[in-house]
Amino acid sequence: MSIKVVVADCSWGSIDVEKEYLPKDAVVEGYQLKTEEEVINACSDADAILAEYAPLSSKVLKSLKKCKIISNTAIGFDNIDVKAAEELGIAVANVPGYCAHEVADHTMSLILAASRNIAVYDRAVRKGQWNYEIGLEMDRLEGQVLGLAGFGRIAQFVAKRAQGFGFKVIANDPFIKQEYADTLNVKMVDVDNLLAESDIISCHIPALKDTIGYFNKEKFDKMTKCPIFVNTSRGKLVNEEDLADALENKKIRAAALDVLIEEPPSMNNRLFTFDNVIITPHAGFFSKTALREVRSRSAMNVSNFFSKEFDKISFVNKIRG
């Protein structure tokens, strides 16, 4: 008997890659589901769901009559109530690491662009201003301290890239021991030391219930070196009003952000009023290579689940079928 698979987020305009890697006899339906009601209506009889942003709350999960696995086509899975899924016997999987190189490259690009006034210079030249003295006061990158909040795979790739420019790299992560960090020439420090010692601070912590709004007024006030602040993780990790206040009060000298709380953002967002802020449209993950990889691996999670090849699946919860 064939299974029904619903692709809840057809963000790329087709489901051809997913079909290539799902079971050949699967009935595959693609949608762009944005509300709980839409998910319930489309997925109530699905055996498997490929999601990305679609809300899979406890209410939605309880409405699913046949679902055995949800594979999130992403690294994060904050759109899914994982605890409720586990209680209901629904496996949850994700695609860790698929865009680690891309996000590390984007992070480094934002660091360089903010440090070297690239966006400020470009905007000025287009307005007929030919003046290297405008924008931030610049310092040599070599010897500056880059502080990484979170030291998972992406942050480790950032550290390697940054060291090529001569940065001294420090990091804070409760799950990483100094013995391991030593192999990457990175010093592990506590949060207060990271905030106080860093010339540039880059956010790489996961979006969890207890990390929402992690970077807030308290944290910005402890950034004693008036650093550049970079975020390529999740927008909700930052209190944007506190960030705007920190920019206004010169607690930080610039910000470079690939993620915001609201995406796409309202143009009334205060962050758009600052010349020393660079914002890109959550593009850090993107390359043709990464896009195909995340879609194919997400579909393969489903195929491997129904063929009981559980060792090939990136499970988020404990359900194994």
Side-chain angles (χ1 to χ4, degrees):
M1 180 182 294
S2 63
I3 62 170
K4 178 179 177 179
V5 181
V6 172
V7 182
D9 296 273
C10 295
S11 303
W12 320 112
S14 73
I15 53 175
D16 55 334
V17 173
E18 289 79 4
K19 283 184 174 180
E20 185 179 342
Y21 289 90
L22 287 168
K24 299 306 178 186
D25 61 346
V27 176
V28 185
E29 297 179 0
Y31 303 95
Q32 194 69 51
L33 306 174
K34 296 184 178 181
T35 67
E36 291 182 337
E37 289 69 26
E38 289 175 343
V39 177
I40 290 170
N41 290 335
C43 301
S44 62
D45 62 344
D47 296 286
I49 299 171
L50 298 183
E52 186 180 359
Y53 300 110
L56 291 155
S57 63
S58 176
K59 173 186 173 181
V60 171
L61 296 175
K62 288 176 181 177
S63 76
L64 304 178
K65 302 171 185 174
K66 299 169 58 183
C67 188
K68 299 292 190 297
I69 181 171
I70 298 167
S71 181
N72 229 35
T73 308
I75 297 173
F77 43 88
D78 45 315
N79 58 312
I80 304 170
D81 188 329
V82 175
K83 182 178 180 181
E86 188 165 314
E87 291 172 352
L88 292 164
I90 301 172
V92 178
N94 68 337
V95 188
Y98 81 91
C99 60
H101 285 289
E102 283 81 0
V103 177
D105 290 343
H106 202 81
T107 301
M108 201 65 223
S109 298
L110 290 175
I111 290 170
L112 296 174
S115 298
R116 295 297 306 170
N117 281 329
I118 301 302
V120 173
Y121 283 150
D122 177 71
R123 289 193 293 263
V125 170
R126 291 172 185 272
K127 294 177 181 178
Q129 301 176 48
W130 192 264
N131 181 5
Y132 65 82
E133 294 182 327
I134 63 173
L136 298 178
E137 181 178 321
M138 292 188 286
D139 291 312
R140 180 176 294 171
L141 296 179
E142 186 172 6
Q144 289 194 43
V145 178
L146 171 62
L148 301 173
F151 198 51
R153 188 178 183 188
I154 291 172
Q156 291 169 27
F157 286 162
V158 172
K160 181 178 180 180
R161 286 155 172 75
Q163 287 163 352
F165 285 88
F167 280 99
K168 174 185 175 183
V169 183
I170 62 176
N172 172 259
D173 191 312
F175 302 105
I176 302 295
K177 296 186 181 299
Q178 184 60 58
E179 290 79 8
Y180 175 72
D182 284 340
T183 66
L184 301 170
N185 198 30
V186 172
K187 179 183 178 183
M188 302 303 295
V189 298
D190 63 28
V191 174
D192 285 349
N193 282 335
L194 182 105
L195 298 174
E197 296 176 15
S198 300
D199 298 291
I200 299 170
I201 294 175
S202 187
C203 174
H204 299 280
I205 61 179
L208 305 171
K209 286 183 179 179
D210 59 351
T211 60
I212 303 305
Y214 180 86
F215 281 99
N216 54 18
K217 183 180 187 302
E218 180 186 2
K219 298 286 195 314
F220 292 125
D221 284 348
K222 292 180 178 180
M223 297 180 184
T224 56
K225 294 176 75 173
C226 192
I228 293 171
F229 178 74
V230 179
N231 186 15
T232 55
S233 184
R234 286 290 186 271
K236 63 180 69 174
L237 297 169
V238 180
N239 183 313
E240 290 178 357
E241 283 300 311
D242 289 354
L243 173 58
D245 288 343
L247 286 159
E248 197 169 83
N249 299 328
K250 303 190 185 310
K251 294 290 185 180
I252 61 174
R253 58 192 169 104
L257 312 169
D258 185 49
V259 288
L260 296 170
I261 294 173
E262 180 186 0
E263 297 179 357
S266 164
M267 296 312 294
N268 293 323
N269 189 317
R270 281 178 65 200
L271 294 172
F272 287 108
T273 67
F274 296 93
D275 288 336
N276 56 340
V277 173
I278 299 172
I279 299 175
T280 55
H282 204 148
F285 77 96
F286 183 71
S287 74
K288 292 188 293 184
T289 306
L291 180 55
R292 182 173 181 84
E293 180 179 338
V294 70
R295 294 171 68 187
S296 62
R297 284 176 57 191
S298 184
M300 283 301 298
N301 280 337
V302 172
S303 294
N304 290 331
F305 183 87
F306 286 102
S307 64
K308 300 189 182 302
E309 296 182 80
F310 301 133
D311 60 321
K312 297 180 180 179
I313 302 172
S314 301
F315 284 107
V316 171
N317 61 5
K318 300 177 182 177
I319 305 300
R320 297 293 184 273

